[in-house]
Amino acid sequence: MNVLGIETSCDETALAVVADGHRILSNIVSSQVELHARYGGVVPELASREHVQAIVPVLEEALRAASVHLEEIDAVAVTRGPGLAGALLVGLNFAKALAFALSRPLVGVNHLEGHIYAAWLERDGEAEFPAIALIVSGGHSDVVLMEGHGRYRRLGETVDDAAGEAFDKVARLLGLGFPGGPAIERLASTAAAPAGRLPRARLELPYDFSFSGLKTKVQRIVRGEEGKAPPAAALAAAFQESVVDSLVTKAVQAATDHGARGIILAGGVAANSALRTALAERSPVPVAVPPPALCTDNGAMIAAAGYTRLLAGETAGLDLDIDPGLRIG
Ligand code: KG4
Ligand code: ZN
């Protein structure tokens, strides 16, 4: 069964053809990073306009790369949220038009669930439940108990900035490019040692995160308000270490407390190799993490999550709507 996955929730126009929920036939991502870089972040109106321009060529490329004709698409899966409203609308309306024209089932996908299902792409192994999913992206930092396919309970979340957002903001403070995560990771890898130990937030709830205090601390250091500023690379390494430690500590705690049989690491920040390494070292249970290219937004993860929903008998009508504030669990 060939599922076309369509993802336009933020600044990537991404379409993919995935066979039987896990075999990637094509996965085309048209990134708008350069367009938004000069503004230091994603400009919603520009994102929508770019999606409109890119979506047909990206579909054509996805079909060509998969060697699949449009008529060989068996179902259409599309991100309905969370994300930027105008950006989501482009993908959703395109998906509806395609599903209607082809007389194929349509299914709406939660973008965060898509990130989780990226962990099972190109793999044969069955998922083991219960599992803890640590979803860390530009907009979310969630610790989720996954009791089965499509069954989620959110245990924790960020009370302020998301992990990826913190990377992006600190990158800006250090004069690095956008998106900040890869830039910080690159710079940190050149440091001989981190610039000391930066704080980890203490929160009332056991699985919650807070990163805005850490960002403010970095800002004070950069401005020389805490003495002579250390080299940017050492500061980047100390920042990354603090974020990684908080994320791994909470995910491992949640896994232990809930008898999880595995941890799934998902979302754009999961591309970070310090995070991947630390979680693998400290987790008491197996860690499933997608290859870095499948951690950031893509259409294959939407097709994979949509496939599971379709198998469960879920399809959407043409009244399917976006849900920009959609959560998980
Ligand atoms: O999942 P994603 O592609 O889009 C959202 O759904 O938000 O995540 C994007 C976020 C950005 O904040 C970006 O800086 C971060 O993921 N990111 C990283 C890395 N690659 C992307 N953060 C840390 N290290 C990375 N290597
Ligand atoms: Zn994402």
Side-chain angles (χ1 to χ4, degrees), residues 11-35:
D11 61 341
E12 328 275 8
T13 315
L15 280 79
V17 182
V18 173
D20 304 326
H22 70 106
R23 208 155 42 85
I24 299 176
L25 302 185
S26 68
N27 190 23
I28 308 298
V29 179
S30 169
S31 174
Q32 307 174 4
V33 155
E34 277 170 35
L35 172 75

Side-chain angles (χ1 to χ4, degrees), residues 236-257:
F239 163 77
Q240 180 173 269
E241 192 175 270
S242 173
V243 174
V244 166
D245 185 35
S246 295
L247 294 174
V248 171
T249 301
K250 305 274 165 112
V252 166
Q253 190 64 51
T256 306
D257 294 350

Side-chain angles (χ1 to χ4, degrees), residues 83-199:
L84 303 168
L88 288 165
L89 277 170
V90 178
L92 191 102
N93 284 315
F94 190 73
K96 280 188 192 176
L98 264 183
F100 180 70
L102 297 169
S103 302
R104 296 291 190 276
L106 172 71
V107 65
V109 173
N110 182 327
H111 179 85
L112 300 169
E113 184 173 63
H115 275 303
I116 292 176
Y117 277 83
W120 292 300
L121 282 165
E122 296 293 319
R123 273 191 208 176
D124 289 330
E126 262 298 296
E128 296 219 48
F129 302 115
I132 291 294
L134 173 64
I135 310 170
V136 275
S137 71
H140 297 267
S141 303
D142 292 335
V143 177
V144 176
L145 175 64
M146 188 172 181
E147 288 159 324
H149 287 292
R151 288 170 49 211
Y152 307 99
R153 186 146 66 87
R154 192 167 66 240
L155 303 175
E157 62 198 301
T158 181
V159 299
D160 40 54
D161 293 346
E165 189 180 0
F167 270 94
D168 294 334
K169 286 179 175 173
V170 166
R172 208 174 311 162
L173 287 174
L174 296 177
L176 306 173
F178 170 85
I184 295 229
E185 178 172 3
R186 267 193 307 276
L187 183 62
S189 71
T190 68
R197 187 184 194 278
L198 294 180

Side-chain angles (χ1 to χ4, degrees), residues 1-65:
M1 174 167 167
N2 294 330
V3 178
L4 176 71
I6 303 179
E7 155 61 37
T8 65
S9 69
C10 191
D11 61 341
E12 328 275 8
T13 315
L15 280 79
V17 182
V18 173
D20 304 326
H22 70 106
R23 208 155 42 85
I24 299 176
L25 302 185
S26 68
N27 190 23
I28 308 298
V29 179
S30 169
S31 174
Q32 307 174 4
V33 155
E34 277 170 35
L35 172 75
H36 300 287
R38 78 185 90 147
Y39 304 101
V42 177
V43 183
E45 289 78 3
L46 292 183
S48 312
R49 201 170 65 192
E50 282 294 305
H51 286 310
V52 170
Q53 281 170 357
I55 201 158
V56 170
V58 172
L59 170 66
E60 286 168 348
E61 205 178 327
L63 294 173
R64 197 164 42 236

